[in-house]
Amino acid sequence: MGHSKQATIKVNLLGPVFLTFALLALLEESERAVVVNVGSSAHLRATGVVEDLGDPSGPSVSWVDALPTTADEDLSTYAKSKLAIMQFSMLLRHWLPTRTHVHVVDADPGLVWTPLLRNHIGDKAVGTLTKTGLAKLLYKTPNEGAQAIVAAVDDVPSDTEPSKREQVYYENGRAGGLASTESRSIDQSKELWKTVIAPEVSSVDLPPGWGQQNGL
């Protein structure tokens, strides 16, 4: 949040992507496994990822490396990164083998009073929110935010059939949060994979059949 546009995409999208693929084999061996991608209501501000942020400047430059290294001051790239991770969740639900019992959900912990947020809004706003007590009223503590994510994990039913796995978006620990149409778009998700993610994970061993379900 507030770092460069390129770093924002690398941390918020590519970091979870690499971690998920690294752990996927172990998750598939478990009796019950849940992948929770941490979302944000900020994703509602984004109408697309690839289309809005543009194409690489040359054939030898990846889409991610072509992103500006200037600060994401208006948090527009942060919003797009949160939409992107939800679209990656969509790909996992569609492209993981049907035999798998790995559940994939998105969860927004709500507004959390983190050092990252405080650095972004500045000392003056932090001082005002703290002195007036609004910080405690409007924001969760980091521990409360973490508890909201854990609540999403605990809520996922163990008997859900893979064929019935629709998008489930948790907000403040409860299912049924407001998720955008774009976050459910398989076409946008496929475009994200082809343009943004696939070039970055070319050295990763992907699950058998990955990308074949419903076609690329």
Side-chain angles (χ1 to χ4, degrees):
M1 180 182 288
H3 292 286
S4 77
K5 296 175 183 293
Q6 186 181 108
T8 297
I9 292 293
K10 286 184 175 180
V11 171
N12 287 355
L13 173 63
L14 296 183
V17 166
F18 277 105
L19 179 62
T20 300
F21 283 133
L23 297 177
L24 199 52
L26 291 174
L27 293 174
E28 289 183 315
E29 293 176 1
S30 303
E31 292 185 3
R32 179 179 181 273
V34 182
V35 173
V36 180
N37 282 319
V38 179
S40 167
S41 59
H43 87 276
L44 296 169
R45 296 174 50 204
T47 57
V49 179
V50 176
E51 299 84 351
D52 290 355
L53 289 180
D55 296 323
S57 58
S60 61
V61 180
S62 74
W63 185 91
V64 174
D65 288 339
L67 289 174
T69 55
T70 52
D72 181 32
E73 294 182 356
D74 63 355
L75 301 186
S76 60
T77 303
Y78 174 80
K80 292 173 177 62
S81 74
K82 288 304 182 178
L83 171 60
I85 195 61
M86 293 177 71
Q87 291 178 342
F88 176 61
S89 294
M90 180 66 67
L91 292 173
L92 288 171
R93 283 188 287 268
H94 276 70
W95 287 351
L96 283 178
T98 55
R99 69 178 186 280
T100 186
H101 46 257
V102 178
H103 301 270
V104 183
V105 300
D106 303 291
D108 172 11
L111 297 172
V112 182
W113 192 243
T114 62
L116 197 63
L117 173 68
R118 296 197 293 274
N119 288 337
H120 178 69
I121 64 177
D123 293 339
K124 184 176 180 180
V126 169
T128 300
L129 289 167
T130 302
K131 290 178 182 178
T132 60
L134 286 174
K136 291 184 178 180
L137 292 174
L138 298 175
Y139 298 92
K140 291 183 175 69
T141 66
N143 184 55
E144 290 169 336
Q147 288 176 356
I149 300 300
V150 173
V153 175
D154 292 339
D155 186 66
V156 175
S158 59
D159 58 349
T160 303
E161 296 178 11
S163 61
K164 296 181 179 179
R165 288 184 199 153
E166 303 293 336
Q167 181 193 55
V168 180
Y169 184 54
Y170 287 85
E171 196 166 27
N172 296 311
R174 301 183 183 89
L178 180 60
S180 69
T181 301
E182 292 81 7
S183 71
R184 299 189 296 271
S185 170
I186 188 60
D187 290 334
Q188 281 199 22
S189 301
K190 291 175 183 177
E191 184 62 31
L192 176 78
W193 174 262
K194 290 190 292 185
T195 305
V196 181
I197 302 177
E200 303 296 330
V201 297
S202 57
S203 61
V204 174
D205 291 330
L206 300 175
W210 178 261
Q212 294 178 11
Q213 287 83 352
N214 296 321
L216 269 171

